[in-house]
Amino acid sequence: METEVITSKIKRRDIPYAIFVFSDNLNEVPEELESQEVLRKSYQNLVKEGNITGKSGEVLYYQYICNGEFERIYYVGLGEKAKPDMEHYRVAGAVLCSNARKLKQKVLSLQFPDFSHLEEDDVINNVHAFIEGVILRNYEFIKYRKEPAETKLEKLIIYEEDLRVAKLIEKGIYLGKINGEATNYCRDIANEPSNVMSPVALEDKAREIANKYYDCMEFYSFGKEGLQERGMGLFLGVAQSESKPPRVITLKYKCKKENAKTLAIIGKGITFDSGGISLKTGPSLFLMKRDLSGGASTLAIMKAVGELRPNINVIGIIGATENMPGPKAYKPGDILRSMSGKTVEVLNTDAEGRLVLADVFTYVQRELKPDFLVDVSTLTGSMEKALGHSISGVISNNKKFLSLLLQASQKSNEHIWPMPLTNDYKKNITSFFADLKNISNSPPDALLAGFFLYQFIENDIPWIHLDIAGTDTASGEPKTYYPRGATGVTTRTLIELVKIMSELEEFPAPIPYSGPWNFFTD
Ligand code: BES
Ligand code: ZN
Ligand code: ZN
């Protein structure tokens, strides 16, 4: 979607335009309407009748003949002026876009509310969130359809008289576009079926990104031989069915700052998870084409990193393979040796994500030597059961690092909830025949999977595990800024985390884990 900022008061009233309304400021007639009696009276009536309330998420569309001219206005609620909130702007962008698309309007114009009383950062944040909302709601995965479901919004014209504010608006647009477009890019990859988005196709996507940002990014990838050379037996076990060649894909962004810290983001990239020999059943099996959402998000974050050029090194790594049954497939009861040396008894071939990630953790820590590690994975149905479809679960060994993520998620409004990491569960994942086993007979699997991954963390490196199994897919009609299919969570949050870390002077130190701590009071 194209945007244009024009440094004047709103001019082109022949284009449908949005007027923002605050719920605690309804008596003040919006500036755009003041000069036209018909519009002013209409607004006052709509307020009196309770049709306009200014609540967040409200949109009202009206058409007028005004001085012989046709005018189309969207009244868009922004909540309370006294309690400004980025989310109100994000929702406003989304609902405005949604309504315009339903009416097949491809160009909109608007003037933001008076920002003169706000700090510069708040202006940027509000515009950022609004644009993010528009772009997120403007998305649909329709490349395989002849007819689009809805027309798209093609252009947004923004009027701002004050040159200083206009500059801040431009900055907000830039940041909102990066987050929105990265999320949509993630969705595009995660929505592709597994017959298209194979491990090698993911590798091609990563190569494309490295080529685009060649001056700051390197690409590296290996397949079966590389896995064998490194002794990545857990990964090889999952990839053993040989339905598609596996890949470990690495994108390395190097910043200009000297002695900068390095953040590694690891994505689970199972391009189809059938469960393997422990075959999944039920009608939702097709959704397992999306078991690469974490990997898709990793690519999207790297794309955003290429644009933003933060002052921290960022590495994106994807462990990509299918998990399929077949004559060569790994079987329950198999014992595999990991790159770390630990052996794992496979009791269920459907708990494949933790196996793939465990070996990727070792590869990343030993060869790429990051200072911080984040993994994003559709890891467990158990997390979906625990937290539902709008909250992602997070497990960490480092409270300070986790608090940075919580800060980032407050900005993105992608909800995350900390879950405990506890040695109490050691016995649940200890095997009699090997060092570890990949499942336990007793729940909670979401925590056990996290705890299993933790066994492959070395030197107390600050680590965050994001389980997006419940949140990566939205079903049914679009909800505010979540379309049907891949949601693209937690791409925006992790981009915000990168930005926060880029500005940081004092970093969380690797300290031995002594939890579980109380996240709310400690
Ligand atoms: N990819 C799945 C987890 C998943 C479930 C993602 C639902 C998205 C939606 C994972 O590999 C898996 O199959 N986990 C099993 C683990 C079990 C065998 C202990 C599960 O959650 O059922
Ligand atoms: Zn599985
Ligand atoms: Zn899986």
Side-chain angles (χ1 to χ4, degrees), residues 248-264:
V248 177
I249 305 155
T250 304
L251 276 174
K252 260 176 117 168
Y253 161 78
K254 184 146 180 34
C255 72
K256 293 232 165 78
K257 192 175 145 193
E258 273 177 45
N259 302 322
K261 299 275 185 199
T262 300
L263 166 69

Side-chain angles (χ1 to χ4, degrees), residues 60 253 299 392:
L60 191 68
Y253 161 78
L299 286 178
S392 305

Side-chain angles (χ1 to χ4, degrees), residues 2 21 95 168 194 225 240 248 283-284 300 332-333 336 374 406 431 444 465:
E2 196 193 332
V21 189
V95 293
L168 301 174
S194 76
E225 271 113 69
Q240 203 174 298
V248 177
S284 303
L336 308 173
V374 174
L406 293 172
S431 157
H465 159 60

Side-chain angles (χ1 to χ4, degrees), residues 114-162:
D114 179 16
F115 281 149
S116 57
H117 61 293
L118 295 181
E119 301 277 331
E120 295 200 338
D121 274 352
D122 290 331
V123 177
I124 296 170
N125 284 341
N126 290 344
V127 177
H128 162 163
F130 178 81
I131 295 293
E132 211 173 74
V134 172
I135 293 176
L136 292 174
R137 182 57 187 83
N138 212 16
Y139 178 85
E140 239 148 25
F141 188 70
I142 44 161
K143 64 186 273 201
Y144 296 107
R145 284 172 61 148
K146 261 210 198 82
E147 295 288 327
E150 286 175 347
T151 58
K152 287 212 172 183
L153 191 58
E154 289 169 6
K155 187 168 180 183
L156 205 55
I157 305 169
I158 296 169
Y159 291 92
E160 174 55 58
E161 204 184 15
D162 183 329

Side-chain angles (χ1 to χ4, degrees), residues 311-442:
N311 279 323
I312 178 165
N313 299 323
V314 187
I315 318 177
I317 310 96
I318 302 164
T321 177
E322 279 194 336
N323 182 27
M324 292 294 282
K328 292 187 182 168
Y330 78 141
K331 299 177 273 312
D334 285 0
I335 296 180
L336 308 173
R337 186 175 296 277
S338 68
M339 181 177 175
S340 76
K342 291 192 166 100
T343 54
V344 180
E345 184 184 14
V346 177
L347 291 182
N348 190 318
T349 61
D350 196 11
E352 84 299 338
R354 62 200 80 179
L355 299 174
V356 165
L357 289 172
D359 265 346
V360 174
F361 276 21
T362 310
Y363 152 66
V364 169
Q365 290 170 102
R366 298 202 180 160
E367 293 185 29
L368 309 175
K369 304 200 182 334
D371 302 289
F372 303 95
L373 209 143
V374 174
D375 77 83
V376 202
S377 3
T378 45
L379 204 64
T380 66
S382 155
M383 196 64 95
E384 181 179 5
K385 286 200 186 76
L387 296 178
H389 299 287
S390 76
I391 307 170
S392 305
V394 59
I395 290 175
S396 175
N397 63 344
N398 190 298
K399 212 184 322 179
K400 286 213 172 111
F401 190 31
L402 179 59
S403 71
L404 296 180
L405 183 79
L406 293 172
Q407 200 185 317
S409 87
Q410 259 160 23
K411 186 151 182 195
S412 68
N413 203 45
E414 292 183 311
H415 306 308
I416 56 176
W417 199 255
M419 300 295 259
L421 178 71
T422 167
N423 285 317
D424 295 353
Y425 293 142
K426 184 91 186 182
K427 59 182 181 313
N428 301 51
I429 57 162
T430 303
S431 157
F432 180 78
F433 301 106
D435 299 325
L436 296 166
K437 54 186 181 186
N438 75 334
I439 61 157
S440 162
N441 299 331
S442 54

Side-chain angles (χ1 to χ4, degrees), residues 435-467:
D435 299 325
L436 296 166
K437 54 186 181 186
N438 75 334
I439 61 157
S440 162
N441 299 331
S442 54
D445 186 52
L447 309 192
L448 296 177
F451 190 61
F452 180 92
L453 292 179
Y454 177 57
Q455 307 308 307
F456 296 85
I457 289 295
E458 298 178 355
N459 306 319
D460 300 309
I461 178 174
W463 159 68
I464 286 169
H465 159 60
L466 268 166
D467 190 339

